Amino acid sequence: MNVSAGVLSDSTPILVGAGQVVEREANDISPMALASQAAVNAIKDCEATGSAAVIAEAIDTICVTKLFSDMGRLWAGKCGRSDNPPESIATCIGASPDHRIYTETGGNQPQSRLIEFARAIARGERSVVLMAGAEAIKNQRHAERNKRELDWSEQFEEVLEDRGFGESSATSQEIKNGLYNVVYYYSLIEQAQRHAAGRSIEEHRYAMARLLESFSAVAAGNPYAQFAGSQSAEEILAAPAMTHLYSKRMIAQDGVNQGAALLMCSIGKAKQLGIPEARWIYLHGLAEGCELEVTRRPDPGVSPMAGLVADKALATAGITIADIDLIDIYSCFPCAVTSVATHLGLPIDGSRQLTLTGGLPYFGGPGNNYSMHALAEAVWQAREKPDSFAMVTANGGMLSKHASGIYSRKPSSIDWGNTETDISSNELLACKVCADPQSGSIISYTVHHDREGGAHAVIIGETISGERFVSRTAKDDNATAFAMLAQDPTGKKVKVTAPDDERLYFELG
């Protein structure tokens, strides 16, 4: 239904500014400096009749996406950190917000927080919200390799609302049996998709490479992409192996220096600040929900919640996927793309553009903040095509935390203060987990090579009674892993032993 902007409530939330920044060469810039520059760019992008200082002074909430370096030892560095990331940005841009928020972990966070703030703005609980984030892992690693000391430390007195890590997306059994890296999780998901499609490993790897080649082509033309040039399917396949399915060029690349920011406010505030209507982007569909742990999903290759969230966003917008002109499907791993695209009935052979940025393996994977870049692109590209609809899907964990949004220059009269956006996981069917399996059959598997030339495997298994479990090969059992590479073990019987502390070791047969 066509709606005139003139009849909309002044409390209607809109996106009014987007900013991005990239540093392709290593330097000394901190992640908060990058985020601050992206924020400056987002304010400029508003093209307000007033000054940037006036807009900065109007910001009452600054929300920063959780940095990878604050998530754990895998990304932790010795460069120091800001103890209040939102205040780092506020200091740079001359803002004095009432609220400083540091998000939970997860690639869904930019999209999920946009949903939260849309509701708050519509209810009059917030006025002008700046969302920002960045990663400077490229700079951090460059300094460490060259034994250079960088000091990114900042200390502030202002109050910070740190939302912590959020709920875990993994079971204890999964973690204790080899699933301590998201690459292994996604390889299990990918393997289940491969088996369901009836492809050999070689056929599936080529299908993934063909899809990702189309993402790389988009990144090659994006001035904010971390990596120059495009990758052919053959080059993607030829990169070093990560698992039995993935090469290094098939997965998100976190060694980046990238930042992005968005500015949200109400229509009434945009008028007050002199932000032209031509800059306004309306929210047409918003939805989010959390998936079950991978072991508990009836089909490990599918995330039903991803489909439910995408469907709800479309239904709220009152359109179908055929009406979507611009789309960015979260692309940390190929199966993350195909899970959503297949559900929506979109081709996964590279014939349709499924990314606005170029995707996490080629545009760059700036930690939890990638979808902020996708949203920035949605804002810009929707402005260029005023009759279009843009859809952004985001994903955190292991296809665990989903959030989707639909955006357009076309006005929307939806009352986001009273529109339900959340989908409960109670709607999902769940498998029971077996704590002490003796035997079972393989539902999905992944094999990884180590630096010493050996290999180990992790499986999702199912007992004869239909309960699920995760198990791995014993430390010195290379033979089982290599046997699984030689012949597809899906459906094969396994024997399981439990030495101690939830560890489960399996052998074929």
Side-chain angles (χ1 to χ4, degrees):
M1 182 176 65
N2 292 326
V3 180
S4 169
V7 303
L8 296 180
S9 167
D10 275 355
S11 65
T12 302
I14 52 176
L15 292 166
V16 294
Q20 296 188 74
V21 62
V22 63
E23 295 283 346
R24 286 185 171 174
E25 299 301 323
N27 52 51
D28 295 346
I29 296 176
S30 73
M32 296 324 302
L34 287 170
S36 297
Q37 184 57 58
V40 169
N41 293 345
I43 292 173
K44 290 180 180 177
D45 184 63
C46 296
E47 295 188 357
T49 55
S51 68
V54 170
I55 292 180
E57 290 170 3
I59 295 171
D60 68 345
T61 302
I62 297 181
C63 176
V64 174
T65 307
K66 184 80 73 179
L67 289 166
F68 262 18
S69 55
D70 287 340
M71 284 174 50
R73 56 187 175 85
L74 182 61
W75 296 279
K78 301 177 181 179
C79 302
R81 61 181 294 274
S82 169
D83 65 0
N84 192 327
E87 186 57 25
S88 293
I89 295 175
T91 300
C92 178
I93 66 175
S96 299
D98 298 320
H99 308 283
R100 301 164 185 84
I101 299 171
Y102 197 34
T103 74
E104 296 178 0
T105 64
N108 62 301
Q109 282 299 306
Q111 179 69 76
S112 289
R113 299 290 62 76
L114 187 155
I115 295 172
E116 173 190 348
F117 298 139
R119 181 178 297 110
I121 289 171
R123 292 177 177 177
E125 297 165 354
R126 300 185 192 275
S127 179
V128 181
V129 177
L130 174 67
M131 299 169 55
E135 291 290 351
I137 296 175
K138 183 179 182 69
N139 287 345
Q140 174 185 312
R141 291 176 178 165
H142 181 265
E144 291 170 352
R145 283 194 298 268
N146 290 277
K147 295 181 170 52
R148 295 181 61 247
E149 293 186 8
L150 300 179
D151 186 5
W152 294 342
S153 300
E154 294 181 274
Q155 288 82 39
F156 301 98
E157 299 296 327
E158 287 76 10
V159 175
L160 172 68
E161 181 186 337
D162 189 335
R163 297 188 176 179
F165 292 94
E167 294 185 8
S168 174
S169 300
T171 68
S172 174
Q173 186 184 82
E174 289 171 353
I175 295 170
K176 292 188 176 183
N177 287 283
L179 295 181
Y180 48 82
N181 189 317
V182 293
V183 176
Y184 303 158
Y185 271 103
Y186 278 96
S187 190
L188 281 168
I189 296 169
E190 196 79 58
Q191 170 59 37
Q193 289 190 6
R194 179 192 75 78
H195 183 73
R199 296 191 187 111
S200 68
I201 289 176
E202 291 74 19
E203 289 170 339
H204 191 77
R205 293 184 78 245
Y206 184 70
M208 289 189 293
R210 280 284 306 278
L211 170 63
L212 293 176
E213 181 181 58
S214 69
F215 279 65
S216 180
V218 174
N222 189 331
Y224 293 101
Q226 182 69 57
F227 309 104
S230 61
Q231 298 267 322
S232 68
E234 290 70 26
E235 288 170 324
I236 292 168
L237 288 168
M242 298 292 289
T243 71
H244 75 291
L245 288 175
Y246 291 145
S247 78
K248 189 175 181 180
R249 295 303 295 151
M250 292 178 174
I251 69 174
Q253 302 296 306
D254 61 12
V256 302
N257 294 328
Q258 292 176 306
L262 294 171
L263 200 67
M264 295 179 67
C265 65
S266 65
I267 284 179
K269 198 66 179 181
K271 293 176 181 176
Q272 181 184 332
L273 293 171
I275 301 173
E277 188 177 334
R279 311 306 287 171
W280 302 358
I281 294 295
Y282 297 89
L283 321 178
H284 285 258
L286 301 172
E288 62 182 331
C290 291
E291 181 60 83
L292 302 171
E293 297 92 337
V294 174
T295 311
R296 299 175 63 212
R297 299 173 195 172
D299 180 351
V302 175
S303 170
M305 183 58 78
L308 291 171
V309 166
D311 289 346
K312 186 175 183 65
L314 288 165
T316 303
I319 60 176
T320 69
I321 191 61
D323 299 304
I324 298 295
D325 309 280
L326 305 164
I327 190 166
D328 191 276
I329 300 177
Y330 201 85
S331 52
C332 49
F333 295 86
C335 61
V337 178
T338 54
S339 293
V340 175
T342 300
H343 175 82
L344 293 174
L346 298 173
I348 55 174
D349 58 0
S351 60
R352 168 159 180 181
Q353 183 176 313
L354 301 178
T355 179
L356 300 179
T357 67
L360 286 90
Y362 313 105
F363 168 82
N368 297 310
N369 202 54
Y370 166 78
S371 61
M372 194 83 78
H373 292 268
L375 288 163
E377 289 290 342
V379 167
W380 293 341
Q381 295 186 36
R383 284 178 184 158
E384 293 175 359
K385 299 178 180 179
D387 293 327
S388 68
F389 288 97
M391 184 176 192
V392 174
T393 77
N395 149 39
M398 295 71 74
L399 290 182
S400 307
K401 307 169 188 178
H402 298 281
S404 292
I406 297 171
Y407 309 94
S408 180
R409 273 283 298 122
K410 294 181 178 181
S412 168
S413 60
I414 295 173
D415 177 6
W416 291 111
N418 294 292
T419 299
E420 181 57 57
T421 57
D422 188 59
I423 300 175
S424 171
S425 60
N426 293 334
E427 297 186 25
L428 303 174
L429 296 175
C431 296
K432 291 184 179 180
V433 174
C434 182
D436 57 347
Q438 308 298 308
S439 62
S441 56
I442 296 174
I443 300 298
S444 189
Y445 70 95
T446 180
V447 178
H448 327 117
H449 295 277
D450 59 36
R451 294 178 180 178
E452 288 72 41
H456 70 275
V458 180
I459 65 167
I460 296 176
E462 187 171 83
T463 67
I464 194 170
S465 61
E467 294 183 330
R468 294 289 179 78
F469 62 91
V470 173
S471 179
R472 60 164 294 166
T473 48
K475 182 178 179 180
D476 298 323
D477 181 10
N478 293 310
T480 296
F482 283 118
M484 293 169 70
L485 288 174
Q487 185 176 15
D488 186 350
T490 306
K492 300 291 186 182
K493 301 295 184 182
V494 296
K495 297 178 181 178
V496 182
T497 57
D500 58 68
D501 193 29
E502 288 192 83
R503 285 186 297 168
L504 302 171
Y505 292 155
F506 78 89
E507 294 180 351
L508 295 174

